[in-house]
Amino acid sequence: MYLKMYNTLTKQLEAFVPTNPQQVSFYSCGPTVYDDAHIGNFRSFLAADLLRRWVESPLCTLKNLDGSLHTQKRTVVQVMNITDVGHMTDDENADGAGQDKMEVAAKRIEQAKKSGKIPPDEGINPQDPLAIARYYEQRFREDAIKLGLKVAIDTIKDPSLMPRATEHIEDMKTVIEQLLADGYAYPAGEPGSRAIYFDVPKFKSYGRLSGNTIDQLKDGAGGRTDDTNTKQKHHPADFLLWKEDESHKMKWDSPTIPNQDPADKPWGQGYPGWHIECTAMALARLAKDGLAGARKSHAQIDLHSGGEDNIFPHHECEIAQSCCFTGSDSFAKHWFHPRFLKVEGQKMSKSKGTMYTLRDLTAKGIDPAAIRLELIKTHYRANADFSMQGLKDSARTVERWRKFIDAGEQGEAGTTNQTIRNAVADAMNDDLNIAGALGTINKWIKDTPNPTQADAQLFKLFDSFLGTCSLKQLEQTSSASGIALYQPGVTPSEEIESLLIARRDAKQAKDFAKADAIRDQLKSMGLAIMDKPKGQVEVAPLN
């Protein structure tokens, strides 16, 4: 049996057939770093992580383009963006309405500092949007690693896998300028507040992903547009690519407008729309030879994920601008959208105290492995219901699994249970039927009171895609210990910490030659270091 999944684009179950199964390209819409990610966000990110881990698992079978089966080793190159500009409070408005979320975060942080919720020595300047973004980005990375997101772990060695929107403004402008040149976009408005819009009727397939056709959107897109802006647009559904706004906190030189009348006032600085960032960053990182190569090869990516709230307008707009830029009929071959998370049967609510972050839960002493299992154990196409009782059940399950591994490793050699192996593989290949896989695994463990070493190894194979029992080791290697912040792949040791302390003392004594020599010594040990706040040093494997 080969992997079949529901494709949001085609509205049906179909075989997942990557262009090159040995290296699958996967783009995941990531966090907007103006606040801590909550468990609803992580439900979507973890569903994508489960998919990525399954595609990489030796248990997974894929279909090749020629119809044959692919069972060999494969790698997934997953990219997850960091949105640190262009995301407004009114996401669904096609004209970029509302405040920039970084401005909202600035007010919240300022209040938190005054009230003492954020310590004065935290070192975050609420007046600096990039400082806010880096603060929450770092917290997101730490949370993501604690929950075992492989894309976050990968970025320790390759930061380009988690690109920042602010560092790809030129790529966005390149795409916008090409869309203008090809007639898929146009400038509008008065000097000082001009905008560049995507001309939606020019893309005939608009609405294929979400079902929101151009005809349905002709009357103002159900409140998605402002009356003032609608008057200057070709069509009410046309969406923002760039906004000229010198007063905006985060701003850059605007794209070059082709064939602009010399008598017209030059464009001032501005900022990009929300949708354009993913097109630019996905193609810049995943297409062969970047953006230039994407146009030459009519590039498309294999997988694209995001929460169901991203389907419209974000992903619909992303498809339109991407296809028009590359000349391809599609942007991603397969679209993967996990559904929403409820808490105790209701929508998450800040006022009710049910919009939990990972830090809220771990502060209560809850094991991150239990949180991960609770967030992945419901099928991605069903609304999940997160509960404290469910967390307790998941914690007991994880503990039972850990005991099973420990007992098996102390047992006899044994042979691999092929029946269980095949049953779990069949379940996961059937649209990631995680409930079926877990049911098989848990019954097998219950029926195996004396596990063998082969049983322990088989469970570890299952855990390579479940990603639960391995979190304890991951937490040990990425947690803080004294001066060192150990990252995955580095074993904590007294030698490392003594060298870091000696380097710190050398820097305080202004003996920079000695400090550099210690850095070189750590490098010779295969370690890369990076100074972090509060005097700690991140220690990661050398690239």
Side-chain angles (χ1 to χ4, degrees):
M1 187 174 182
Y2 51 83
L3 177 59
K4 290 184 179 180
M5 292 190 300
Y6 183 82
N7 188 345
T8 311
L9 188 66
T10 61
K11 313 294 186 294
Q12 63 184 13
L13 280 174
E14 58 186 50
F16 171 54
V17 186
T19 302
N20 175 11
Q22 291 181 312
Q23 186 165 299
V24 177
S25 55
F26 189 1
Y27 186 85
S28 296
C29 276
T32 301
V33 285
Y34 76 109
D35 202 349
D36 286 328
H38 54 67
I39 56 173
N41 302 135
F42 274 114
R43 198 262 165 142
S44 176
F45 300 147
L46 284 168
D49 184 70
L50 178 66
L51 170 57
R52 181 254 175 93
R53 286 171 175 263
W54 179 246
V55 170
E56 289 185 330
S57 171
L59 295 171
C60 177
T61 298
L62 298 184
K63 217 175 184 183
N64 288 312
L65 291 170
D66 63 3
S68 62
L69 298 182
H70 187 276
T71 58
Q72 301 168 16
K73 184 178 179 180
R74 62 186 75 96
T75 299
V76 175
V77 181
Q78 186 182 8
V79 173
M80 175 183 278
N81 64 297
I82 296 292
T83 298
D84 54 0
V85 68
H87 212 330
M88 313 303 279
T89 51
D90 188 356
D91 285 342
E92 293 193 354
N93 191 291
D95 305 312
Q99 283 183 287
D100 189 300
K101 289 192 174 183
M102 289 303 162
E103 294 181 19
V104 175
K107 294 178 182 176
R108 186 181 63 251
I109 289 169
E110 203 161 19
Q111 292 172 353
K113 280 203 164 191
K114 288 179 181 177
S115 65
K117 289 183 179 179
I118 294 181
D121 62 347
E122 194 66 56
I124 177 172
N125 179 5
Q127 303 307 315
D128 182 352
L130 283 180
I132 294 170
R134 298 300 164 260
Y135 173 76
Y136 284 115
E137 177 188 343
Q138 181 60 29
R139 288 169 69 89
F140 173 78
R141 289 175 187 271
E142 292 168 358
D143 290 351
I145 289 173
K146 283 184 179 179
L147 288 173
L149 260 72
K150 289 195 75 174
V151 65
I153 297 167
D154 289 347
T155 57
I156 294 171
K157 291 186 176 181
D158 185 358
S160 71
L161 294 171
M162 203 172 273
R164 298 164 175 155
T166 51
E167 294 176 356
H168 285 264
I169 299 295
E170 291 305 314
D171 288 331
M172 296 180 213
K173 288 162 62 175
T174 295
V175 175
I176 293 170
E177 287 168 358
Q178 192 62 56
L179 293 174
L180 284 165
D182 292 343
Y184 291 111
Y186 62 91
E190 297 299 320
S193 60
R194 288 170 289 196
I196 300 172
Y197 290 104
F198 183 87
D199 200 338
V200 168
K202 294 283 183 69
F203 183 64
K204 302 304 180 185
S205 297
Y206 192 85
R208 185 182 171 199
L209 184 74
S210 65
N212 289 298
T213 65
I214 295 174
D215 287 341
Q216 291 172 321
L217 297 173
K218 66 183 179 181
D219 294 324
R224 284 187 58 247
T225 63
D226 297 329
D227 290 339
T228 302
N229 291 319
T230 298
K231 294 174 183 177
Q232 67 187 24
K233 297 197 296 185
H234 294 176
H235 190 280
D238 294 351
F239 58 87
L240 185 73
L241 297 174
W242 188 272
K243 180 72 173 177
E244 180 190 28
D245 184 358
E246 292 277 3
S247 67
H248 202 265
K249 258 195 169 183
M250 303 177 78
K251 57 192 175 186
W252 296 264
D253 291 339
S254 294
T256 301
I257 309 298
N259 305 316
Q260 184 177 13
D261 189 328
D264 290 346
K265 185 178 180 181
W267 279 55
Q269 292 186 315
Y271 60 92
W274 172 31
H275 313 304
I276 195 65
E277 69 171 76
C278 287
T279 290
M281 288 190 282
L283 294 175
R285 181 58 181 80
L286 291 172
K288 186 179 180 181
D289 300 324
L291 287 179
R295 280 182 61 80
K296 290 179 183 177
S297 62
H298 306 298
Q300 60 177 349
I301 58 178
D302 294 315
L303 274 171
H304 198 311
S305 73
E308 65 174 327
D309 55 326
N310 287 147
I311 296 173
F312 188 82
H314 185 47
H315 287 166
E316 193 73 78
C317 297
E318 201 179 319
I319 290 172
Q321 63 200 14
S322 301
C323 289
C324 291
F325 175 75
T326 63
S328 175
D329 291 335
S330 65
F331 178 39
K333 298 180 73 174
H334 209 109
W335 289 83
F336 178 84
H337 291 102
R339 297 203 65 188
F340 291 127
L341 178 76
K342 294 182 178 180
V343 176
E344 306 287 355
Q346 298 183 345
K347 186 177 179 180
M348 285 189 297
S349 168
K350 277 190 176 182
S351 61
K352 293 180 180 179
T354 58
M355 192 170 281
Y356 301 117
T357 66
L358 176 67
R359 291 159 194 261
D360 293 333
L361 297 172
T362 54
K364 299 176 186 289
I366 300 172
D367 187 344
I371 299 169
R372 179 182 172 98
L373 179 57
E374 182 67 9
L375 290 172
I376 68 170
K377 70 183 184 184
T378 301
H379 193 268
Y380 74 93
R381 285 200 290 127
N383 284 327
D385 190 9
F386 187 92
S387 68
M388 289 302 166
Q389 183 57 51
L391 267 181
K392 291 178 182 177
D393 294 341
S394 291
R396 283 194 291 267
T397 298
V398 170
E399 189 58 31
R400 185 164 63 248
W401 289 351
R402 287 171 176 158
K403 288 179 179 178
F404 183 81
I405 294 173
D406 291 342
E409 288 178 336
Q410 301 302 317
E412 298 178 356
T415 57
T416 300
N417 190 324
Q418 290 293 339
T419 300
I420 298 301
R421 188 182 192 277
N422 294 340
V424 170
D426 286 347
M428 291 300 291
N429 279 328
D430 181 18
D431 197 26
L432 298 186
N433 181 3
I434 185 67
L438 291 175
T440 297
I441 291 169
N442 288 328
K443 186 177 185 304
W444 165 57
I445 290 176
K446 183 180 179 181
D447 295 343
T448 311
N450 298 304
T452 64
Q453 293 174 31
D455 290 327
Q457 287 306 115
L458 181 56
F459 185 86
K460 286 183 178 181
L461 183 60
F462 296 152
D463 195 57
S464 67
F465 66 84
L466 294 173
T468 50
C469 295
S470 55
L471 283 186
K472 184 170 281 189
Q473 179 183 1
L474 180 65
E475 186 177 4
Q476 289 171 350
T477 57
S478 63
S479 62
S481 174
I483 191 173
L485 289 165
Y486 293 106
Q487 298 303 307
V490 180
T491 302
S493 74
E494 292 183 7
E495 180 186 9
I496 294 172
E497 296 200 13
S498 64
L499 286 170
L500 293 177
I501 291 169
R503 175 176 172 269
R504 180 193 63 194
D505 293 344
K507 289 176 68 177
Q508 289 176 348
K510 300 191 183 302
D511 188 350
F512 299 113
K514 183 178 180 180
D516 290 342
I518 294 172
R519 178 187 286 272
D520 291 341
Q521 183 178 348
L522 289 163
K523 187 175 181 180
S524 70
M525 296 165 59
L527 302 173
I529 62 172
M530 180 181 294
D531 291 315
K532 306 298 286 185
K534 300 180 182 178
Q536 291 184 310
V537 183
E538 181 181 279
V539 186
L542 192 65
N543 289 341

